[in-house]
Amino acid sequence: MPQAVSNPIPARMRGLNRAEICDVNFSEFVRGWEGRAGQAPGDDEAVLSGSALDARGFRELFESQLISRHLDLMARVLRVQNKVFYTIGSSGHEGNAMVARATRHTDPAFLHYRSGGFMAERFRKLPGMDPVMDSALSFAASKEDPASGGRHKVWGSKPLWVLPQTSTIASHLPKAFGTAVAIEQARRIGHALPIPADSIAICSFGDASSNHATAQTAFNVAAWTAYQKLPAPVLFVCEDNGIGISVKTPDGWIARNFSQRPDLDYFAADGLDLASGYGDVQKAVEHCRRTRRPTFLHLRTTRIMGHAGTDFEIEWRSIEELCAVEATDPLLRSAAIALESGLMSKDDVLDLYEATRAKCFAAAEDADRRPRLDSLEDVMAPLAPYTPDAVAAEAARADYGDRRLEVFGGEAKLPEHQPPKHLAIQINQALHDLFAKYPETLLFGEDVAQKGGVYTVTKGLQKAFGPRRVFNTLLDETVILGLAQGYANMGLLPMPEIQYLAYFHNACDQIRGEAASLQFFSNGQYRNPMVMRIASLGYQRGFGGHFHNDNSITALRDIPGLVVGCPSRGDDAVTMLRTLMALAKVDGRVCAFLEPIALYMAKDLHEAGDGGWLTEFPAPGEAMPLGEGRVYGDGADDLVVFTFGNGVPMSLRAARAIEAKHGWKVRVVDLRWLAPLNEGFIREQAAGAKRILVVDEGRRSAGVGEGIITALVEGGLADIPLQRVVGADTFTPLAGAAFLVIPSEEQIVAAADRLAG
């Protein structure tokens, strides 16, 4: 282990900006170096005796470290001039360049925000790419930023397989694991991978983030998978700098916590010393690639210049501590290696240092002159792509007839030739149909395989399509949605099942912060196509309390770009699923399909035995356009009821009583699509109505009903008399008390009475 370099900054400078001090530190260290230089090694010789790193590799890594450092210094200087808009730096973490060198550019990477060294080195993997200019465009929020189009400062690159992360407080670990599993899963089902079959997934994060529940979820599922001898080639790179913003990590905690974990293979490397650390990094990478096991690389780093430009560390750390930290600057050690080995002279090192500075500042000034996003349309362009004609064509595509016949057992057994069925069976038949159409589709979740789900909606799927396409996961919704993103990254079409809507809230950030944001922050270059099925809503006759009767749709509707559909009957479910799969396939959309549990088995509408809620299975080629609602009683305008889900059959039953009581003609409008709300359709149905009633089984605050009313008001229809029947702002209790907090048919009739008054 090399000796720590003493801090050469004189006392008179110790109250200055620490970035300036680190900058001066480097130059003064090189000028003051008094060691003896060895004979310069050849390009292919070890840079120092016993090192696994040759001279050529060291020189390139050193250059990558310098690029990373000068990007940080540039950001600190130009931020105050409003030419740069991000100052969380990589200083002290430049050793992560070794991970980039030891891996391939086709190994998908999900990176910590201190990954400047990694990115500079990975740029070497493809000719003609410029790490300095590309990074400068991102720092400047330029519209020409090739990673995000100016939407955020991200480390990302489509050709380099670096999927952009906007925040790395552990939320990216589950999808990195999912990607590793998907590499193997795709091969097993015969799906063509976009990367080599022996690729690994790389995921870097800080020591503080390793404690996050989401990180622990990823470590647990990785070990759970390896325990069963299933491949999961993910390289977890913990860049341990000993501090999280201002909270110190206890000495030895990372090694103690991870070095003895069964089924999580631990390696340690010194990220502060290229000569001694590179061999250990290589070993970890080679082990992960060869064994296909989850691997934990504990990379020693430090953090100099603070958490970000706004972090004035001198206010909360002693000067002695700061000086000690700055003495471990990895660039000082790299300079010493260059000088000790005879590879570079003092002038060579300083000339390279200053030339790199000049290049970074020139690129930043150039980037500042480039256009930035200047319209809302530009900002939102990649958020929710929609090509309706292509989606409609894909949803209607029915060129898989032979496979359908095989799956369903012949022409006579095709679902469209069967008698009308209830919702659960029609969804089940639709899933069989879609699995026949899309061989890249996977369905997974809790209890979905042999059992067929809690409500038997997935019954028979595993038998028909095998355990490689339909399988159970461990009981962790964060894992389920992380897997979905990983499969999507590898070109598969995942259908994750969340067993109950309340369970989604446990893992909401995997959709809100990760899956739904990827197209936006990658400027449409990456996408997470998926159709997430969720058993949802209330009216289960008091069974299960709030965890099985969750009516909170707000958390879904609030996610930018997410498509949310909610059928109330079987035929609608089939045609909606076809469109949702087409949206995922064609436009890469993240979709949620809310299945009303209380309507799964509903057969009757008005009286027992009337079969009024049974429907025929739509033939292949029939699909429902995004945003299209269903209208019952078209043309009736005495009262128009807007609703969805359980509210549809309730409103239809209430409509009979209202018509008999008041002599009105009642129109019931099933929205079916809850995000995005089709405001034009809502206004069209409301125009000419004498009265309007909104029936929303969600909660009063921030529910779908508020969106409907807003569409009416903004459409100039505020003068029409209106009432709202909505759930209460409370959790759902057990037994009969459940019906006190959600809308009822009696409340719908009473609201109509108020409108009559």
Side-chain angles (χ1 to χ4, degrees), residues 251-261 266 298:
D251 289 344
W253 170 245
I254 297 300
R256 173 70 176 269
N257 200 13
F258 291 96
S259 62
Q260 301 300 321
R261 285 200 182 192
Y266 177 89
H298 181 190

Side-chain angles (χ1 to χ4, degrees), residues 610-696:
D610 68 10
W613 217 237
L614 300 174
T615 63
E616 295 181 346
F617 190 90
E622 296 182 33
M624 183 194 305
L626 176 64
E628 182 180 271
R630 179 183 287 277
V631 179
Y632 300 84
D634 194 14
D637 59 7
D638 291 318
L639 175 65
V640 175
V641 182
F642 290 97
T643 189
F644 63 92
N646 292 291
V648 177
M650 287 172 50
S651 296
L652 289 171
R653 288 190 288 268
R656 272 197 176 184
I658 293 167
E659 288 173 343
K661 189 172 187 178
H662 297 289
W664 296 346
K665 296 296 185 182
V666 179
R667 187 186 337 156
V668 175
V669 178
D670 181 0
L671 297 173
R672 302 195 290 200
W673 301 96
L674 308 184
L677 275 178
N678 189 340
E679 296 180 352
F681 170 70
I682 291 170
R683 289 192 283 267
E684 176 188 310
Q685 290 297 316
K690 296 175 183 175
R691 304 163 191 87
I692 293 174
L693 182 57
V694 175
V695 177
D696 176 7

Side-chain angles (χ1 to χ4, degrees), residues 150-171:
R151 287 168 186 83
H152 203 283
K153 164 63 187 72
V154 296
W155 296 119
S157 171
K158 178 67 173 177
L160 295 176
W161 271 97
V162 178
L163 289 78
Q165 313 302 305
T166 61
S167 182
T168 51
I169 312 302
S171 59

Side-chain angles (χ1 to χ4, degrees), residues 81-141:
Q81 301 176 33
N82 273 335
K83 294 181 178 181
V84 161
F85 302 93
Y86 193 86
T87 58
I88 295 180
S90 304
S91 295
H93 285 247
E94 290 89 353
N96 56 35
M98 294 187 289
V99 180
R101 188 169 191 86
T103 55
R104 306 170 184 163
H105 79 276
T106 49
D107 292 329
F110 305 82
L111 299 180
H112 189 226
Y113 42 52
R114 304 195 192 280
S115 295
F118 181 103
M119 286 300 298
E121 184 64 24
R122 181 164 273 207
F123 268 91
R124 298 181 188 279
K125 303 285 185 176
L126 289 177
M129 301 193 73
D130 185 352
V132 175
M133 192 63 213
D134 280 11
S135 299
L137 290 166
S138 188
F139 275 102

Side-chain angles (χ1 to χ4, degrees), residues 189 191 435 437-442 469 491-494 585:
I189 68 170
H191 175 74
F435 263 65
K437 182 175 182 177
Y438 297 108
E440 69 271 34
T441 296
L442 306 174
R469 293 185 63 193
L492 296 159
L493 269 179
K585 175 80 173 178

Side-chain angles (χ1 to χ4, degrees), residues 281-327:
V281 170
Q282 273 189 319
K283 289 176 185 176
V285 171
E286 291 168 0
H287 173 85
C288 184
R289 196 179 306 280
R290 175 177 52 82
T291 65
R292 319 305 286 164
R293 283 175 58 84
T295 304
F296 188 98
L297 173 58
H298 181 190
L299 190 67
R300 180 189 175 208
T301 63
T302 191
R303 191 190 77 190
I304 60 175
M305 295 164 46
H307 174 71
T310 54
D311 181 17
F312 198 50
E313 286 184 297
I314 195 66
E315 294 182 347
W316 57 273
R317 298 180 88 171
S318 71
I319 190 66
E320 292 76 16
E321 183 181 359
L322 285 172
C323 289
V325 169
E326 288 159 3

